[in-house]
Amino acid sequence: MLNSANNNSLQHPVANSSENTMNGYNRKAPQKRRYEMPKYAVPPKKKTCKERIPQPKNTVAMLNELRNGLIYKLESQTGPVHAPLFTISVEVDGQKYMGQGRSKKVARIEAAATALRSFIQFKDGAVLSPLKPSGNLDFTSDEHLENGIENIANDTLVVYMQMMILMLKETEKKPNLTSLETSKLRLQMFCMSQNRDKFKNVSKSAITVDGQKKVPDKGPVMLLYELFNDVNFECINIDSAQNNCRFKMTVTINEKKFDGTGPSKKLAKNAAAKAALASLCNISYSPMVVPQKNVPLPIDDKSSSMELPQIHADAIGRLVLEKFMEVIKGQEAYSRRKVLAGIVMTENMNFFEAKVISVSTGTKCVSGEHMSVNGAVLNDSHAEIVSRRCLLKFLYAQLDLQCNQATAYQSIFVRNTDGQYPYKLKSGVHFHLYINTAPCGDARIFSPHENDTGVDKHPNRKARGQLRTKIESGEGTIPVKSSDGIQTWDGVLQGQRLLTMSCSDKIARWNIVGIQGSLLSSIIEPVYLHSIVLGSLLHPEHMYRAVCGRIEKSIQGLPPPYHLNKPRLALVTSAEPRNQAKAPNFGINWTIGDVELEVVNSLTGRTIGGQVSRITKQAFFDKYGFLMKNLPGILNRSVTTDYGQTKANVKDYQTAKLELFSAFKREDLGSWLKKPIEQDEFVLTE
């Protein structure tokens, strides 16, 4: 009864006409809305993959697929601020194509479309120019698989691009291809993509200005996304130490991986993108590349470029860092360092088989009270100087191989039948020096945050190019004084600071007399560095001036084969961070062939156990005496003088060294500071 009453009340909301009448007007009672559920709930239909409409690629993507490495340049911007008109150009095969639009994106798309129209006519997808096929090509037949793609297109990239477009259009005209036909088509496209270099070697070099490289206008990440479609970045935090957080970013392009590190994810991403662009497109963001101001480096006409290819620089830096991490295992307590250096050897510039010759760390010099009259201490424990001494140890070991006819072929030296030196390096052998920061001295005297890459506003200031000395037991350098030409033993013992020439000055010396030292100069021809790679603080003009530029105009009269060497310079893409920690008082050294590394107390010049280091003057003099007795081809085998006099007897080396000192004086850069002569007055051990 209750339910029926309720139903009646719902069906007849107006029960009494008199009650619902007011002032002669009928008023209807509002009815409640009722939602009736369907008898069977049917879920909404989901779109299947077949119903999805593929998004067409824009012209920029299509052009990039056909031609990687294209650069889009903003030519002009006209019109009012609220309605600008952009003009962008792209260069393809030496031809510039323009596009305009209300935005840069639209203008870029129009420029790409203009370029595509120039060599592809999309009418029916079959008529292209300049290629005019004799007949309709059926890309689903077996003919091209049997005869090879090279029978269709032999020597031009235009033919390759047109055939790729034809094949893509063929799939559009035949949507109902069988699985076999589709497989054949994909196989042909894959073969063409794998053999595209046979059609034409696509040049992916960086933009050039007047024949010289130019830093790209765009950032590395943006440029990478424009040049390649499949770009994937992955970030890994590899070091979360306090105040020294380092991120590692890996970018994958066409199944190739490139790494970059930095103090932030953004910088690590940029470093990875730079590495990828350098490897895939030969596009470099190195400071050695001519900047936007187009100010060339002060190099002579004989040297076309002072820049080492970026992929080679990154390989050198990576090899040294990996070797350091390898040799430091088990002795992590000595991994603390501020400066890391190493030397890499290549044959015929083959970096796939490059060898790390030496690895070292250190930033201090010996204290004056620990000087040795027997050549038993290391005076200079700066990393780059120690690495060079490790290289000397390697050169002595290579000459030892020549003492035995059975091992002579393994040596990097060969008998020299033409010159006055018994031995010389094999052709194609090069040495590359890596330092994680600019060498102390003239190469580091600049502000890294001031944009002075253009013409030097103060080229004649006294600080430019001055010879500088390291401070005893400390860091940093000071200019030499004209009166400080000679240091005395008793003066140092009475409290005078023992001064050592800066690393920049010593590298400049190596570029005149070689890195082989005076003793080996009586046996082998001068050996020079092929390149110097820095991990940070590379200023092209300051670095060039420091290592060779400050004396190139005044050096003269060098006895051949001595000459002014101009090493290639480069900066790694993943720059080393500035280390604010206090420098340790120890340094490590390792040379190829060593079982374990050696740890040296930089203040005493001896190992932490108080032993004589394996790279001291005393050790090398003993090795030299052995070579003079056993090495074939040596005329005068007697060594009757002390260490200092034996070095002085190498006439050509001494002539080149004195000419170097004179060149510094002629340029008014100061006098070379020598150590007390008592240090070299020791003889061979019995």
Side-chain angles (χ1 to χ4, degrees):
M1 295 293 293
L2 183 60
N3 291 337
S4 61
N6 289 338
N7 292 335
N8 292 335
S9 65
L10 290 175
Q11 295 173 1
H12 306 283
V14 182
N16 192 344
S17 60
S18 61
E19 293 179 1
N20 292 285
T21 302
M22 183 179 293
N23 297 329
Y25 295 95
N26 293 333
R27 184 183 58 155
K28 296 182 179 179
Q31 296 183 356
K32 294 183 179 180
R33 294 182 179 178
R34 184 173 58 184
Y35 176 74
E36 295 183 358
M37 291 290 295
K39 187 174 183 181
Y40 300 100
V42 180
K45 293 184 179 180
K46 293 183 179 180
K47 292 184 178 181
T48 62
C49 295
K50 295 182 179 180
E51 296 177 352
R52 293 180 181 176
I53 301 176
Q55 296 296 326
K57 296 180 180 179
N58 60 28
T59 55
V60 176
M62 293 177 62
L63 189 59
N64 282 340
E65 286 185 359
L66 301 176
R67 290 291 182 85
N68 285 335
L70 297 178
I71 305 297
Y72 293 83
K73 182 179 179 182
L74 178 63
E75 295 289 342
S76 64
Q77 177 180 346
T78 58
V81 178
H82 66 278
L85 182 63
F86 297 94
T87 302
I88 287 182
S89 67
V90 60
E91 186 173 338
V92 181
D93 292 339
Q95 181 70 30
K96 184 179 289 187
Y97 302 96
M98 314 292 287
Q100 290 185 334
R102 291 300 181 184
S103 67
K104 293 180 181 179
K105 179 179 180 181
V106 174
R108 191 181 300 115
I109 292 175
E110 289 298 323
T114 305
L116 287 172
R117 293 191 202 99
S118 67
F119 51 83
I120 301 174
Q121 298 180 9
F122 288 101
K123 183 178 180 180
D124 297 331
V127 181
L128 304 175
S129 62
L131 179 66
K132 296 181 180 180
S134 56
N136 295 326
L137 299 179
D138 184 7
F139 292 96
T140 61
S141 68
D142 293 337
E143 179 181 358
H144 308 301
L145 290 178
E146 296 173 357
N147 298 333
I149 300 298
E150 293 160 332
N151 294 334
I152 303 173
N154 300 345
D155 52 4
T156 63
L157 189 62
V158 174
V159 176
Y160 161 71
M161 291 190 299
Q162 293 173 359
M163 295 187 65
M164 289 291 289
I165 294 296
L166 280 173
M167 297 172 81
L168 293 174
K169 291 297 179 179
E170 193 72 24
T171 60
E172 296 178 3
K173 292 192 296 181
K174 297 182 179 181
N176 299 323
L177 292 176
T178 64
S179 59
L180 179 59
E181 293 173 335
T182 304
S183 299
K184 291 179 181 179
L185 183 59
R186 289 178 179 175
L187 178 59
Q188 293 172 20
M189 296 176 67
F190 173 79
C191 293
M192 293 190 67
S193 65
Q194 295 298 314
N195 291 282
R196 60 183 179 272
D197 291 337
K198 296 182 180 179
F199 299 111
K200 184 177 179 180
N201 184 17
V202 183
S203 175
K204 298 180 180 180
S205 59
I207 305 176
T208 58
V209 177
D210 298 330
Q212 291 180 315
K213 277 189 173 183
K214 171 186 170 185
V215 178
D217 297 329
K218 299 178 181 179
V221 177
M222 177 184 294
L223 187 57
L224 193 65
Y225 275 117
E226 285 190 1
L227 299 181
F228 299 96
N229 295 326
D230 187 16
V231 179
N232 297 311
F233 284 94
E234 182 182 1
C235 181
I236 304 173
N237 189 350
I238 61 173
D239 186 3
S240 57
Q242 187 176 6
N243 298 328
N244 192 26
C245 186
R246 297 284 291 174
F247 294 90
K248 180 178 180 180
M249 189 74 74
T250 300
V251 59
T252 305
I253 303 173
N254 297 334
E255 298 183 356
K256 294 183 179 179
K257 294 183 180 294
F258 304 92
D259 297 332
T261 60
S264 66
K265 292 183 180 180
K266 179 180 179 181
L267 294 178
K269 191 174 184 180
N270 283 340
K274 290 178 182 178
L277 290 171
S279 177
L280 300 176
C281 304
N282 193 24
I283 295 177
S284 175
Y285 284 81
S286 169
M288 295 304 300
V289 178
V290 178
Q292 300 292 348
K293 297 180 182 180
N294 299 331
V295 179
L297 289 173
I299 58 179
D300 59 14
D301 296 334
K302 297 180 181 179
S303 179
S304 60
S305 174
M306 288 290 292
E307 180 197 9
L308 183 73
Q310 189 63 57
I311 55 175
H312 294 169
D314 291 339
I316 292 169
R318 183 183 69 255
L319 287 170
V320 173
L321 288 172
E322 289 176 353
K323 180 58 68 174
F324 172 74
M325 299 303 296
E326 176 186 334
V327 301
I328 205 67
K329 287 182 179 179
Q331 301 194 49
E332 284 77 8
Y334 300 107
S335 63
R336 190 161 57 97
R337 46 94 178 175
K338 290 198 73 172
V339 180
L340 169 69
I343 293 179
V344 175
M345 182 184 73
T346 60
E347 295 188 31
N348 300 320
M349 297 301 287
N350 182 5
F351 283 87
F352 294 103
E353 299 180 1
K355 297 179 181 178
V356 179
I357 303 301
S358 63
V359 173
S360 60
T361 64
T363 54
K364 300 288 182 68
C365 294
V366 69
S367 176
E369 61 185 282
H370 292 286
M371 290 189 305
S372 172
V373 294
N374 297 319
V377 300
L378 284 178
N379 292 325
D380 191 343
S381 291
H382 281 230
E384 50 267 57
I385 308 303
V386 174
S387 274
R388 179 255 176 182
R389 297 195 69 82
C390 292
L391 175 63
L392 289 181
K393 180 171 175 284
F394 171 73
L395 297 181
Y396 277 107
Q398 291 297 305
L399 286 172
D400 282 342
L401 297 175
Q402 290 286 345
C403 296
N404 188 344
Q405 190 174 1
T407 59
Y409 73 96
Q410 302 175 8
S411 174
I412 63 172
F413 293 104
V414 294
R415 292 291 297 270
N416 187 10
T417 58
D418 300 331
Q420 57 180 326
Y421 301 93
Y423 293 88
K424 64 179 180 179
L425 271 181
K426 287 181 179 178
S427 178
V429 175
H430 296 106
F431 295 102
H432 313 268
L433 173 64
Y434 170 79
I435 319 171
N436 70 334
T437 185
C440 65
D442 190 44
R444 207 187 291 173
I445 305 300
F446 68 93
S447 175
H449 296 288
E450 291 180 355
N451 186 16
D452 57 348
T453 56
V455 178
D456 190 355
K457 298 180 181 179
H458 305 282
N460 297 322
R461 67 169 61 169
K462 288 294 183 180
R464 294 286 191 252
Q466 288 289 315
L467 292 174
R468 306 176 73 88
T469 60
K470 306 168 187 175
I471 300 176
E472 175 188 330
S473 304
E475 295 183 78
T477 60
I478 57 175
V480 299
K481 297 180 181 179
S482 58
S483 59
D484 289 337
I486 299 177
Q487 298 182 91
T488 60
W489 189 277
D490 50 351
V492 173
L493 292 181
Q494 288 179 356
Q496 182 183 358
R497 278 192 166 184
L498 180 64
L499 301 178
T500 305
M501 298 305 296
S502 70
C503 294
S504 294
D505 300 332
K506 290 189 175 183
I507 294 176
R509 174 173 171 166
W510 300 343
N511 285 323
I512 293 292
V513 300
I515 57 178
Q516 75 286 341
S518 56
L519 293 180
L520 285 181
S521 295
S522 64
I523 303 176
I524 62 175
E525 289 185 354
V527 178
Y528 295 100
L529 290 173
H530 182 268
S531 67
I532 302 176
V533 179
L534 300 186
S536 62
L537 298 182
L538 173 62
H539 191 293
E541 293 166 8
H542 292 292
M543 185 67 184
Y544 176 83
R545 181 191 63 241
V547 300
C548 61
R550 47 182 166 167
I551 55 174
E552 65 178 341
K553 295 181 180 179
S554 58
I555 196 73
Q556 57 188 6
L558 293 175
Y562 292 93
H563 63 276
L564 174 61
N565 178 55
K566 297 182 179 181
R568 304 291 189 267
L569 306 176
L571 177 72
V572 297
T573 52
S574 297
E576 286 247 348
R578 180 171 173 262
N579 192 348
Q580 303 180 21
K582 184 179 179 181
N585 292 330
F586 59 82
I588 65 104
N589 68 80
W590 174 89
T591 311
I592 185 172
D594 290 342
V595 178
E596 59 182 12
L597 58 83
E598 181 181 73
V599 185
V600 176
N601 186 332
S602 303
L603 303 183
T604 65
R606 294 177 179 267
T607 65
I608 55 175
Q611 304 298 318
V612 178
S613 172
R614 55 197 178 193
I615 55 174
T616 58
K617 295 179 180 180
Q618 182 186 101
F620 290 155
F621 198 29
D622 291 341
K623 293 178 183 295
Y624 176 76
F626 175 82
L627 289 178
M628 296 301 289
K629 292 180 181 179
N630 300 281
L631 193 63
I634 301 299
L635 299 179
N636 186 8
R637 295 186 178 276
S638 61
V639 181
T640 58
T641 56
D642 60 25
Y643 178 78
Q645 188 58 44
T646 304
K647 293 200 303 181
N649 291 337
V650 187
K651 298 302 182 182
D652 284 352
Y653 181 92
Q654 296 300 326
T655 301
K657 185 178 69 172
L658 293 177
E659 175 54 34
L660 169 69
F661 297 164
S662 299
F664 282 122
K665 288 183 179 180
R666 284 193 290 268
E667 293 290 339
D668 196 22
L669 300 177
S671 300
W672 194 276
L673 200 60
K674 299 179 181 179
K675 289 285 196 305
I677 59 176
E678 290 82 2
Q679 280 197 346
D680 294 342
E681 294 177 346
F682 62 92
V683 296
L684 283 173
T685 58
E686 296 296 335

